[in-house]
Amino acid sequence: MIFKDFADEIDDLTGWDPALSSIPRSTDSPITEGKSLVDKMNPEEMAHEIEKIANAAERNELMSVRPKSAMADGFWDIGSPFASALRLLVANLRNKEALSFIDPFDDTYVLMKPSFSSMIKHPICKRDIVAALIGDGNEGGDGKLPLEGLCSWNMWRGMDLLQAMDLVFLNNLAYNGKEKTKDRSTTNKLRRSLWDGINGVISEHFGSDIEQRRRCMPTRRGETSGFVVRK
């Protein structure tokens, strides 16, 4: 119950009230019965939960919820850098232009095109990332994404978290192709914002130190990468 108690403390400090959210609480709908905690959350509720973890990271209070399998061992894993990585996720969850990336891609009505999972090697969404971090909401998640191919990643490691966020955008770009559309433009805009945020954090800590910047920079893949698409 440590994480739940901590969350209640943060709510008291910030004065946040779920009832005031501009997005209706998804838990009010009967269709959410039997779903997990994260499945019942709307984007604002997910953002609020991740913000709590970011606040804890800044105060170095994550030891009680971070799984032993993902102990901090890099720049992005502790304190302010990890909090910054989490807040990039928070900003994306609250961005109305990014709502289509919250849940799994639905290709039910896509005609004359292969299914998303037949083209995309690791089909993940933002809800998967949030679920990996908050688990059942009591003591935090184990950090694992629901894909065997990404079993080496853990969302409690900042580098993995940032690459997972980028992969969500890359998957969309790879599936929809290079035709100039509003969707592609929006996706590229969101991806640029993510990388601007990453570069901003690195610059704040290391300035122009090329070696340190290189060491802390997540892998920036392309949409045609064999890591992204099935070839």
Side-chain angles (χ1 to χ4, degrees):
M1 298 298 289
I2 295 173
F3 197 68
K4 185 174 181 180
D5 291 340
F6 172 74
D8 291 340
E9 174 188 341
I10 294 298
D11 284 347
D12 290 340
L13 290 173
T14 61
W16 186 86
D17 182 354
L20 298 179
S21 174
S22 60
I23 305 175
R25 289 179 61 86
S26 56
T27 49
D28 291 340
S29 171
I31 65 173
T32 61
E33 290 182 5
K35 292 187 176 183
S36 71
L37 173 69
V38 176
D39 286 335
K40 297 177 182 180
M41 288 181 172
N42 62 47
E44 175 58 34
E45 290 169 328
M46 288 191 285
H48 180 62
E49 292 301 315
I50 299 302
E51 184 68 43
K52 294 173 186 176
I53 304 177
N55 290 337
E58 282 192 323
R59 297 200 300 257
N60 294 311
E61 295 175 351
L62 289 184
M63 291 300 294
S64 60
V65 292
R66 184 190 291 272
K68 292 181 179 180
S69 60
M71 297 308 290
D73 61 2
F75 166 74
W76 286 104
D77 299 342
I78 59 174
S80 177
F82 187 55
S84 295
L86 290 167
R87 290 195 172 112
L88 288 173
L89 174 58
V90 169
N92 196 254
L93 289 168
R94 287 177 170 157
N95 189 329
K96 292 182 179 180
E97 290 188 304
L99 290 178
S100 62
F101 299 100
I102 298 294
D103 293 302
F105 186 88
D106 183 5
D107 56 13
T108 305
Y109 302 104
V110 176
L111 302 177
M112 306 297 291
K113 195 171 185 178
S115 67
F116 192 75
S117 59
S118 70
M119 286 183 62
I120 302 303
K121 190 173 287 187
H122 307 298
I124 61 171
C125 63
K126 295 296 170 64
R127 196 177 296 273
D128 292 331
I129 296 173
V130 173
L133 287 164
I134 72 174
D136 62 8
N138 290 323
E139 295 185 356
D142 61 6
K144 296 293 186 179
L145 294 168
L147 289 172
E148 186 175 341
L150 298 178
C151 63
S152 64
W153 281 7
N154 193 296
M155 298 302 95
W156 288 98
R157 296 194 192 99
M159 189 81 81
D160 292 345
L161 171 62
L162 293 169
Q163 291 186 90
M165 292 167 62
D166 189 45
L167 183 59
V168 175
F169 297 136
L170 279 174
N171 288 345
N172 179 278
L173 292 170
Y175 184 72
N176 288 319
K178 293 185 177 294
E179 181 181 352
K180 293 183 179 180
T181 63
K182 182 179 179 181
D183 180 69
R184 181 176 178 83
S185 176
T186 299
T187 304
N188 275 320
K189 175 183 174 183
L190 291 167
R191 191 181 183 217
R192 283 195 300 272
S193 178
L194 170 65
W195 282 98
D196 285 347
I198 292 172
N199 279 299
V201 174
I202 292 176
S203 294
E204 179 184 348
H205 285 267
F206 300 115
S208 59
D209 187 324
I210 296 176
E211 179 57 30
Q212 288 282 27
R213 292 176 66 89
R214 184 199 62 77
R215 183 176 60 83
C216 298
M217 186 67 70
T219 301
R220 185 165 185 168
R221 299 179 172 88
E223 61 196 82
T224 60
S225 165
F227 185 86
V228 179
V229 296
R230 300 182 187 279
K231 295 185 176 182

